[in-house]
Amino acid sequence: MKQEKKLSLDVVHFFHRQGFIIVSTVDENGYPHNSCKGLVHIDEDGLVYLIDLYRGSTYRNLERDPHISITAVDEHKFRGYSLKGTSKMVPEKKIKSHIIKEWESRITSRVSRRVLKELRGGEEQARYPEILLPKPEYMIVMKVEDVIDLTPRPLK
């Protein structure tokens, strides 16, 4: 296993501003599997904490092969990053309470933004999907080993 990579504050702040990220794992046939996940926390030491609500394909893939990559882009600013590394899965009962509280806070914040947008005359929401999410099944802890800046060279 490679050594963790320190992350710049710019990368950390970029990921914290994202509503969701794309998580890529490798399936049993060697093909990429992508899914949307909620970021709970990322720090300069190169650790990323992701909550997964289901024990589906991502879980099975990481049990077999811990290699993982996460990607986030800001389409308006034409910026993005892909982080590559290895993962460890933490069962629900061993997730620290402050991590669950941080995840719940992010969900509450998303719902609040939707409600405020609706009150200001924006899009009307028939329902708030975040409210329907189940309790987390497990947490993924990723050690970042490589950072890929996806920003086009002329915009750097």
Side-chain angles (χ1 to χ4, degrees):
M1 183 182 295
K2 289 183 179 179
Q3 184 158 343
E4 291 174 20
K5 181 159 182 92
K6 295 281 187 181
L7 301 177
S8 71
L9 278 176
D10 186 47
V11 170
V12 170
H13 290 153
F14 180 85
F15 273 92
H16 272 292
R17 288 190 301 269
Q18 305 310 307
F20 70 93
I21 58 172
I22 303 296
V23 172
S24 301
T25 57
V26 180
D27 73 13
E28 65 276 359
N29 296 314
Y31 290 106
H33 167 75
N34 301 309
S35 61
C36 296
K37 303 285 181 218
L39 176 82
V40 176
H41 186 73
I42 182 171
D43 62 38
E44 291 177 76
D45 291 330
L47 292 175
V48 180
Y49 300 86
L50 308 163
I51 289 290
D52 201 351
L53 304 176
Y54 311 100
R55 287 182 188 254
S57 297
T58 301
Y59 182 84
R60 288 188 302 277
N61 292 344
L62 291 175
E63 270 189 320
R64 197 177 40 265
D65 182 344
H67 290 94
I68 185 171
S69 113
I70 64 171
T71 303
V73 295
D74 181 331
E75 68 176 308
H76 301 292
K77 295 181 180 176
F78 249 64
R79 291 185 64 211
Y81 295 96
S82 184
L83 308 178
K84 297 178 182 183
T86 54
S87 64
K88 177 178 88 170
M89 294 186 292
V90 178
E92 177 226 342
K93 62 185 170 219
K94 290 191 176 186
I95 300 173
K96 304 269 190 241
S97 63
H98 74 278
I99 296 286
I100 294 294
K101 286 179 183 167
E102 194 166 340
W103 178 76
E104 289 171 344
S105 175
R106 282 181 162 264
I107 295 297
T108 302
S109 177
R110 286 181 66 141
V111 171
S112 299
R113 282 193 305 273
R114 287 179 191 270
V115 169
L116 289 172
K117 184 175 182 180
E118 187 176 329
L119 290 173
R120 289 186 202 127
E123 296 177 21
E124 185 173 324
Q125 298 289 319
R127 60 187 175 131
Y128 302 98
E130 294 88 351
I131 294 172
L132 303 173
L133 294 174
K135 190 175 178 187
E137 294 261 339
Y138 70 103
M139 178 174 66
I140 301 167
V141 179
M142 174 185 178
K143 290 182 181 179
V144 177
E145 297 167 2
D146 197 11
V147 177
I148 312 309
D149 185 343
L150 302 174
T151 308
R153 198 169 298 139
L155 300 176
K156 290 183 184 182

